[in-house]
Amino acid sequence: MGSDLRTVLHLALERLKNKSGSPQLDAEILLSHLLSKSRIWIYSNFDLVLDDLTVDKYMKMIEEREKGRPVFYITGKKAFINFEFKINDRVLIPRPETEELVERVVEDSKSTGWKTFLDFGCGSGVIAVSIAKLLPESMVWIVDQNNDALKLTRENAIKMGVSDRIHLLETAERQTFDVVISNPPYLTESEWNRLTDLHEEPRDALVGGKDGNDVYAQIMKTYNADRFYFEIAHPFRTSLKKLFDDEGFRYEIIKDLSGRDRIAILHRC
């Protein structure tokens, strides 16, 4: 017989209300994905009856969310800036703060004329592909220890029509760029152990060693650039400040829209 949208959404909310910090949003995103309709459309068509097969598919998605699987791993896609990226559970889920990082790089590049970029730890490719889309004359190299991430970045680059300007950086092929960008793993071991809600995402994409600074050090010791743009943890750690100082960098710390330390812009003294 099927069920109408109002009933189906109510059932989903009841199942998620004690399992998610945002049950209504999760239920709406999953239903919107399944139906290939906007969330506004759903509320404008509450009386529409879904067939039993569609309801069953939706409830299986809700069951995955009940078990703790993140919404965007279930849908397999995530919006970033004005683009939609394919993602999977082998890469980090893109965050709004990283959009701010990309937007700052693009803004600065338009005034300086920077054209060569390195995205270290490319993940799903949101940084590399977005820069290639927003800066049509740019060339972007990518590095990631995760072959699944490199494959996914390539798929997203092809989807967005910029695969001819995104290149895998081979070992020792090139070490100097106009800009090096990274949203590196920056959680400490103790932070990872405490933040259990992140444990559905890849540990290697989140943990940067005992003090969270291992990947920053690796990047600064390996590459040269006019500017380095890093996403950082809030608050700006004393240990990271010392690392920047010891490596001979001047830096500026930019707060995100929530007023939290989020972007470090570095250049050598």
Side-chain angles (χ1 to χ4, degrees), residues 226-245:
D226 284 352
R227 291 291 186 278
F228 292 77
Y229 288 76
F230 292 138
E231 192 165 323
I232 62 172
H234 175 85
F236 181 36
R237 285 195 291 256
T238 301
S239 61
L240 186 56
K241 178 182 184 300
K242 183 177 185 303
L243 176 63
F244 291 168
D245 290 336

Side-chain angles (χ1 to χ4, degrees), residues 1-31:
M1 293 292 293
S3 302
D4 60 45
L5 284 176
R6 180 185 288 102
T7 301
V8 169
L9 193 59
H10 176 73
L11 290 172
L13 287 171
E14 285 298 305
R15 291 179 61 171
L16 293 180
K17 66 181 181 182
N18 296 319
K19 301 289 186 177
S20 166
S22 53
Q24 182 156 342
L25 180 61
D26 292 354
E28 291 172 2
I29 289 174
L30 292 173
L31 188 55

